[in-house]
Amino acid sequence: MQQTATAPATDHPARTGTEVDFPPEQLLASATDTRGVIHYANQEFCETARMSKEYLSGAPHKVVRHPDMPRGLFHLMWERLHAKLPVCTYVKNSTADGGFYWVFATVTPTRDGYLSVRIKPRSEFFALTRDIYSAMLTEEARGLPPDKSAEWMLARLAELGYLDFDAFSYAALDAEFGIREDVDTGSDSDVGKIARLTELMDKCDTLVQEIIGIFQKVRGEPINLRILSGRLEGAGVAIGTISKNYETMSADMYQMIERLRCDETGLLVRMRTALGRAQSASQIATLMDLTVRQSAAKHDAAERNLGGREILHVQSESLSEISRSTVSEVANMGKLVPDICRQLRRRINGLDLVKLLCRVESGRMSDVDSGLVGIIRRLEEAHHQTDRHLAALSATAFQIDATSKSL
């Protein structure tokens, strides 16, 4: 077993620059009160930090903080923790002998403080995050305060395509979790079922994007009808009226579809965000359960006396309940999707009526090479494709509801 120091020789030991490695299956756990004072540290955490349980017990958690960590990141972390929200991020910690080690830390608020379970970082998000931290440290060295540094980080994440800190954290957690071989991700597990829900959400997003693409392809047809109306002069008056009606109805339908995925208020966006919260809570709970099992197998009585397993078990149960409750929220939001699809399909029927009027006019002008036949054909194909996609979207929403009920 790795020897641990009773305490560092100084509060600021010389930095050796030596990285401390630990096995990928190992989990480092600690719990603090609301002030950040440690009251539980598992043996793996002590060994990696090169600090004894006696030294860590009652010590502020910043005893392992490394100066290479940007203050803006801790500003974000504490902002979230004070709001009773979890944090998942990469952290560089110090050891008692001046070395360092990197972890992917999950930190969750408890009834009387905070509980952290850390794993060895191995995904592609690790290198990306280190680059971000390096840039933040550079800006902070130039005088950027922590709150502005945090804003800089959020702006950088937005440039990378992440809506907010949560979106990036959930993606990193999912990547790190997915690499592990010692967690149950089978279809019958909560994590597996949420993964299935994520696949169904991906399908919903794809279908909506394809519907929007269809409308974008034919959105110029009312203009073509107006051009045709002008070319036909008096004979095209009816076509001009039909063009206006079609343009108004299709614009209304397009806006309805956009509301499914626009900004943070779109229904599918809200479902995706909630599902991310559910997935992260379930994955963190799974890591806590794994920590308990490892503790029982390796340390038995010593860990039980410190109450470590009980702390982890209680928090795991709490997070699992949060995950299931949030999945129920996703299911309730998903129940609105079939109704929206029905409304959209009724509007498709209205567009079909306008298209029929076009066909009537085409028949009346059969002796004129108007181009109306081509326009009608394109509209028919667009309507058929949209109707099929809406039926598939509605069916997928029912699958989301059924899968949610199985948790």
Side-chain angles (χ1 to χ4, degrees):
M1 180 178 293
Q2 173 68 47
Q3 294 297 312
T4 57
T6 300
T10 171
D11 288 340
H12 303 284
R15 301 293 167 191
T16 65
T18 302
E19 182 168 8
V20 175
D21 194 19
F22 60 94
E25 67 274 9
Q26 192 163 288
L27 297 105
L28 319 181
S30 65
T32 72
D33 62 16
T34 55
R35 300 169 300 158
V37 175
I38 299 171
H39 60 78
Y40 162 69
N42 73 348
Q43 188 64 34
E44 288 74 16
F45 179 35
C46 296
E47 291 175 0
T48 305
R50 307 292 197 259
M51 300 177 189
S52 67
K53 289 180 182 290
E54 292 75 19
Y55 174 72
L56 285 172
S57 181
H61 207 283
K62 64 182 180 180
V63 72
V64 296
R65 183 176 295 184
H66 197 283
D68 286 351
M69 284 297 296
R71 292 176 298 159
L73 187 278
F74 289 112
H75 179 87
L76 275 175
M77 287 180 65
W78 281 110
E79 190 174 62
R80 292 185 56 77
L81 291 172
H82 287 154
K84 300 297 183 183
L85 297 172
V87 174
C88 301
T89 193
Y90 296 93
V91 178
K92 185 178 185 179
N93 282 337
S94 294
T95 62
D97 54 7
F100 71 92
Y101 61 98
W102 279 97
V103 295
F104 182 77
T106 65
V107 189
T108 55
T110 63
R111 285 177 296 183
D112 57 359
Y114 308 101
L115 177 61
S116 178
V117 172
R118 310 163 189 82
I119 59 178
K120 185 184 180 76
R122 292 184 286 167
S123 81
E124 68 277 9
F125 286 89
F126 182 32
L128 173 61
T129 302
R130 282 183 296 173
D131 289 342
I132 293 174
Y133 287 176
S134 178
M136 291 172 72
L137 286 167
T138 299
E139 294 300 322
E140 290 176 6
R142 293 171 178 164
L144 194 67
D147 59 334
K148 296 301 180 182
S149 178
E151 290 177 9
W152 186 96
M153 181 180 186
L154 295 176
R156 178 63 183 129
L157 294 180
E159 291 174 0
L160 293 170
Y162 296 96
L163 184 64
D164 51 26
F165 184 73
D166 277 350
F168 183 77
S169 296
Y170 297 160
L173 172 61
D174 190 48
E176 296 292 350
F177 189 87
I179 293 173
R180 300 192 68 88
E181 299 178 353
D182 51 4
V183 291
D184 181 10
T185 58
S187 58
D188 290 333
S189 68
D190 282 4
V191 170
K193 290 173 182 176
I194 294 175
R196 172 58 179 157
L197 286 173
T198 301
E199 292 173 0
L200 292 171
M201 281 301 309
D202 290 342
K203 184 176 180 180
C204 286
D205 287 336
T206 299
L207 287 167
V208 170
Q209 189 57 49
E210 288 177 352
I211 292 171
I212 290 173
I214 292 168
F215 268 79
Q216 288 174 338
K217 284 182 180 179
V218 298
R219 70 188 312 171
E221 297 300 351
I223 297 174
N224 292 335
L225 286 170
R226 283 200 297 274
I227 293 172
L228 178 61
S229 172
R231 195 170 72 229
L232 296 174
E233 298 179 346
V237 173
I239 294 177
T241 302
I242 290 170
S243 169
K244 292 179 182 178
N245 290 338
Y246 190 93
E247 188 170 32
T248 300
M249 295 175 69
S250 62
D252 176 56
M253 187 172 178
Y254 187 82
Q255 288 177 1
M256 284 189 68
I257 297 170
E258 273 285 347
R259 283 200 292 271
L260 285 172
R261 59 183 287 277
C262 65
D263 304 324
E264 298 178 12
T265 60
L267 180 59
L268 294 183
V269 175
R270 287 185 285 125
M271 289 173 67
R272 171 78 70 178
T273 300
L275 190 58
R277 292 198 306 270
Q279 182 178 51
S280 64
S282 182
Q283 289 172 335
I284 296 171
T286 301
L287 291 175
M288 289 179 178
D289 287 339
L290 180 59
T291 307
V292 170
R293 292 198 300 274
Q294 288 186 359
S295 169
K298 294 169 64 177
H299 307 298
D300 198 30
E303 293 293 304
R304 184 183 297 115
N305 292 338
L306 287 173
R309 294 184 206 168
E310 288 76 10
I311 294 171
L312 288 159
H313 176 71
V314 169
Q315 187 69 348
S316 172
E317 288 293 308
S318 174
L319 288 171
S320 294
E321 181 53 37
I322 289 172
S323 177
R324 295 185 187 108
S325 174
T326 308
V327 166
S328 294
E329 293 177 21
V330 173
N332 288 333
M333 287 189 280
K335 290 176 182 177
L336 300 175
V337 174
D339 183 57
I340 293 173
C341 289
R342 282 191 291 270
Q343 294 180 47
L344 289 168
R345 294 178 86 176
R346 281 198 293 269
R347 282 165 171 76
I348 283 285
N349 292 335
L351 292 177
D352 282 339
L353 178 58
V354 176
K355 182 193 66 184
L356 179 61
L357 294 175
C358 282
R359 189 175 291 282
V360 170
E361 289 302 310
S362 177
R364 288 176 55 195
M365 298 182 297
S366 57
D367 57 334
V368 181
D369 182 18
S370 63
L372 193 55
V373 172
I375 294 174
I376 292 171
R377 188 180 300 115
R378 290 192 292 273
L379 292 177
E380 281 182 340
E381 179 59 25
H383 293 183
H384 290 324
Q385 288 181 355
T386 302
D387 194 59
R388 288 197 299 271
H389 281 59
L390 288 172
L393 181 60
S394 184
T396 304
F398 284 120
Q399 287 181 283
I400 288 175
D401 185 53
T403 304
S404 300
K405 288 178 179 176
S406 69
L407 268 80

